[in-house]
Amino acid sequence: MSLMPASMDDEAMKPELGYVTLVSGEGYEFVLDRRAAEVSNLIKSMISGTQNIGISMQRFTFDDVSAPVMELICQYLAERHRTGTSMSEFAPLRGLDPDRNPGDKDIALELLLAANYFDC
């Protein structure tokens, strides 16, 4: 799943226009506005680190982050960029109910660990 509208053409995907691609451990790619991605201090430092050595990197792979969690992280980064939402206010996290759905407990834990890892 991509966070960009499906109608965006190849021209909009050029790195200089400000998009980055985050890749989950399973190889799923998530395209995110660079400013939204930089809400994560980890991604921001990775982008600036590559620029400091003369490389403009726009694609980052996170082998330890599953696709469902990466999707939620991307949604959170985009929402936080737009509205300033904190993780505790993030609707998908608040909508999880571990008492009714045991799988929600795992997703909530993975999401909170990922948010800590991404420093966002």
Side-chain angles (χ1 to χ4, degrees):
M1 177 178 167
S2 172
L3 293 179
M4 280 189 359
S7 63
M8 298 203 81
D9 60 15
D10 290 338
E11 186 69 21
M13 296 296 291
K14 290 186 177 177
E16 61 270 13
L17 296 179
Y19 292 96
V20 297
T21 302
L22 306 181
V23 183
S24 72
E26 302 90 346
Y28 290 93
E29 297 182 357
F30 300 86
V31 178
L32 190 60
D33 179 274
R34 180 181 169 154
R35 292 166 298 175
E38 287 182 341
V39 168
S40 161
N41 289 319
L42 173 67
I43 296 171
K44 186 176 184 175
S45 67
M46 291 171 78
I47 291 170
S48 68
T50 61
Q51 290 174 340
N52 289 341
I53 59 172
I55 300 171
S56 180
M57 191 141 181
Q58 305 298 319
R59 180 183 170 89
F60 302 97
T61 301
F62 298 93
D63 292 330
D64 294 333
V65 180
S66 69
V69 172
M70 182 66 81
E71 181 177 11
L72 288 170
I73 287 292
C74 289
Q75 288 175 5
Y76 173 67
L77 293 172
E79 186 174 318
R80 182 158 179 197
H81 174 67
R82 276 191 324 274
T83 66
T85 300
S86 70
M87 183 57 80
S88 63
E89 299 168 322
F90 183 49
L93 180 61
R94 291 180 43 208
L96 297 176
D97 188 355
D99 293 330
R100 291 190 180 173
N101 183 0
D104 283 358
K105 182 177 181 178
D106 293 335
I107 291 289
L109 180 59
E110 285 184 55
L111 179 58
L112 292 173
L113 288 171
N116 184 56
Y117 173 71
F118 282 95
D119 194 10
C120 55

